[in-house]
Amino acid sequence: MNLGTIKILLCDDSILVRKKTKDFLLNLGCNKDNIIEVPDGQAAIDAYKEFKPDLVFLDIIMPIKDGITAVTEIIEYDLSARVVIVSSVGTEKHVTQALKAGAINFVQKPVDNDQIKKIVLTVTGGEN
Amino acid sequence: MYTQFLGNYLLSKGYITSEQLIDSIRYAKTLHMKLGFLAIHAGYMTCAEVDKIHIMQTHVDKRFGELAVEEGYLTSGEVDELLKMQKPSFLLLGQAIVEKSYMTMKQFEDALISYQSDYKLSETDLTDTQSDKLNLILKDFYQFNSNQYLDYYIEYIGLLFNNLTRFIGDDFTPFKGTAFSSYSTDFSISQKVLGNMEFNTVIDMDEPTYIKFASRYAEDDFVENDEYVNASVEDFLNLHNGLFTVNMSNEHLEELALTPPVRERNSLLTSESKIYCIPIGFSFGTINFLMTI
């Protein structure tokens, strides 16, 4: 797997957050056809089942279904799912809940793009 | 933050009008600190001496420092010291106000001394970004009803000003807060904070200000009100409230939660308790930050 082939699912109710993250990933070298965006937790679960991404970036505070519920259901579906929570509410309680639910990392907003880059390169095994 | 409250202090004491203050904030962004202003503030020269050098500069093509040394007002060492010293933003605001002729240099210096005295601030405090003294100013400024979480609400407002500075810009002045039982919004985003301390937060403004605010936060140049503009303002409120929940959890062991942000247009806010309105005048327009406690 490399940056050109990695499949990434972006889930945030903010169209702006999704755009900025996608632009950063494209700049990093990811393929636009391999990046899927959804606006809520239920759509994230549905998209995961259909798209089977290598990596998921998931917000917590969203309508319909929140991120903690979504990561729980994604992990129930696929124990090997790699889900990273990206949220402004990085309280100890939320971080603990997210990691217990199966998230592999928690990124506090405002996002440092270097963290996103590190996470993506970890999944690709450092392959550009 | 002291710069922003200094502006409002000058306003509340009647030295300048709100239009003059906003105009000065706008102008200050274009300025470089002048040596004469620094020299007065450092106590090396008087206003009259600085005025004399400025007049001389209209006849002779020489730098301020050079003329001041020739006239014996400054030594070369003092000129070097002034050039190297930190240029605090409150002095830049002062320079803008004086250059616009809204106040004289002497009036500004006297007002600055009164400001420091009224709030027991030292020169160092004026360049500090956050301290207990700032919270004292906030408490005096925003008269919430007595509440067991009053100190936390004051922290919330302090964090709001820090986040506005960090993500939108420092070219603003806070105006005195007002309490209402109802409030009619224009373009607004609201979000509830849930937990032991529960309150509703709303950020409201007119459409041109909304677009400009969104542009500043997104670091983009939006020209019309669209989904990206709405998302940008929502993101700011969500981020600010999120950071508050993190602080409350880390520092006070208070666990809070947030609801998703909601957009509203021309709606009427009502409350059995008070709606506190905190107007904040940016150089591009005024935003109203509302809290229902």
Side-chain angles (χ1 to χ4, degrees), chain B:
Chain B
M1 267 315 304
Y2 294 108
T3 302
Q4 285 78 11
F5 279 97
L6 171 61
N8 197 278
Y9 182 84
L10 300 176
L11 186 65
S12 67
K13 295 295 180 186
Y15 289 112
I16 51 177
T17 66
S18 55
E19 290 79 18
Q20 289 171 337
L21 178 55
I22 295 293
D23 186 37
S24 302
I25 290 169
R26 211 176 272 136
Y27 182 55
K29 283 178 79 69
T30 67
L31 290 182
H32 294 291
M33 196 75 238
K34 284 190 173 166
L35 202 59
F37 214 89
L38 281 172
I40 295 169
H41 189 69
Y44 293 156
M45 290 177 71
T46 65
C47 298
E49 288 165 350
V50 167
D51 283 341
K52 184 181 169 188
I53 300 294
H54 283 157
I55 291 168
M56 288 175 74
Q57 281 185 293
T58 62
H59 302 301
V60 177
D61 185 20
K62 283 185 178 181
R63 289 188 171 185
F64 184 98
E66 198 180 338
L67 283 171
V69 169
E70 281 177 14
E71 293 297 307
Y73 296 138
L74 292 174
T75 65
S76 300
E78 285 168 345
V79 172
D80 285 342
E81 181 197 321
L82 291 172
L83 287 170
K84 282 179 192 157
M85 75 190 289
Q86 200 181 10
K87 318 292 194 283
S89 56
F90 66 87
L91 279 188
L92 210 50
L93 176 63
Q95 184 181 313
I97 290 170
V98 169
E99 284 191 16
K100 285 275 181 178
S101 303
Y102 297 142
M103 290 172 78
T104 63
M105 265 190 279
K106 177 141 184 15
Q107 282 175 326
F108 178 76
E109 284 294 318
D110 288 346
L112 188 59
I113 290 167
S114 298
Y115 176 60
Q116 287 177 254
S117 169
D118 284 2
Y119 290 107
K120 298 180 179 40
L121 298 170
S122 69
E123 186 82 10
T124 321
D125 289 329
L126 288 172
T127 55
D128 195 0
T129 53
Q130 184 72 45
S131 76
D132 290 338
K133 288 182 182 174
L134 179 60
N135 285 349
L136 284 173
I137 293 176
L138 291 173
K139 261 188 187 162
D140 180 54
F141 213 62
Y142 299 110
Q143 307 262 324
F144 290 118
N145 284 341
S146 170
N147 184 296
Q148 68 176 119
Y149 295 111
L150 179 61
D151 286 345
Y152 295 165
Y153 288 122
I154 295 298
E155 269 188 48
Y156 179 87
I157 294 173
L159 180 65
L160 172 66
F161 290 130
N162 280 339
N163 284 335
L164 284 171
T165 302
R166 187 177 167 193
F167 298 113
I168 309 300
D170 63 1
D171 54 327
F172 67 87
T173 189
F175 295 120
K176 273 279 190 185
T178 326
F180 300 102
S181 54
S182 66
Y183 180 95
S184 182
T185 68
D186 199 343
F187 286 80
S188 68
I189 305 292
S190 67
Q191 186 171 44
K192 280 201 174 80
V193 179
L194 305 172
N196 285 337
M197 63 180 288
E198 228 169 79
F199 57 106
N200 192 32
T201 65
V202 180
I203 187 164
D204 178 62
M205 55 200 103
D206 62 30
E207 193 170 23
T209 307
Y210 191 76
I211 295 169
K212 190 63 189 176
F213 185 96
S215 297
R216 287 271 188 108
Y217 180 72
E219 294 178 325
D220 209 318
D221 197 13
F222 301 127
V223 293
E224 59 179 8
N225 191 355
D226 62 12
E227 282 303 300
Y228 288 103
V229 167
N230 283 314
S232 179
V233 184
E234 285 173 0
D235 284 355
F236 172 80
L237 185 61
N238 191 53
L239 177 63
H240 163 61
N241 284 334
L243 291 173
F244 178 68
T245 68
V246 174
N247 288 353
M248 289 298 292
S249 174
N250 292 345
E251 291 165 24
H252 306 296
L253 304 179
E254 281 283 347
E255 289 299 324
L256 302 173
L258 301 177
T259 59
V262 172
R263 290 169 209 176
E264 298 191 85
R265 173 95 177 83
N266 289 336
S267 67
L268 182 67
L269 297 177
T270 57
S271 175
E272 284 172 8
S273 57
K274 295 282 186 200
I275 302 169
Y276 291 95
C277 177
I278 300 168
I280 301 161
F282 272 90
S283 62
F284 56 83
T286 297
I287 69 167
N288 290 306
F289 198 88
L290 305 148
M291 296 168 66
T292 308
I293 295 169

Side-chain angles (χ1 to χ4, degrees), chain A residues 10-58:
Chain A
L10 302 178
C11 179
D12 197 301
D13 59 337
S14 167
I15 190 175
L16 185 66
V17 167
R18 297 198 309 267
K19 179 185 184 300
K20 285 195 175 259
T21 310
K22 186 172 179 178
D23 287 348
F24 176 73
L25 293 172
L26 292 176
N27 217 38
L28 202 57
C30 297
N31 187 323
K32 64 175 171 52
D33 295 329
N34 292 337
I35 301 174
I36 297 289
E37 302 177 47
V38 293
D40 63 74
Q42 185 57 56
I45 295 160
D46 297 339
Y48 189 91
K49 291 174 179 172
E50 183 184 343
F51 187 52
K52 293 181 178 47
D54 303 301
L55 180 59
V56 181
F57 289 109
L58 186 60

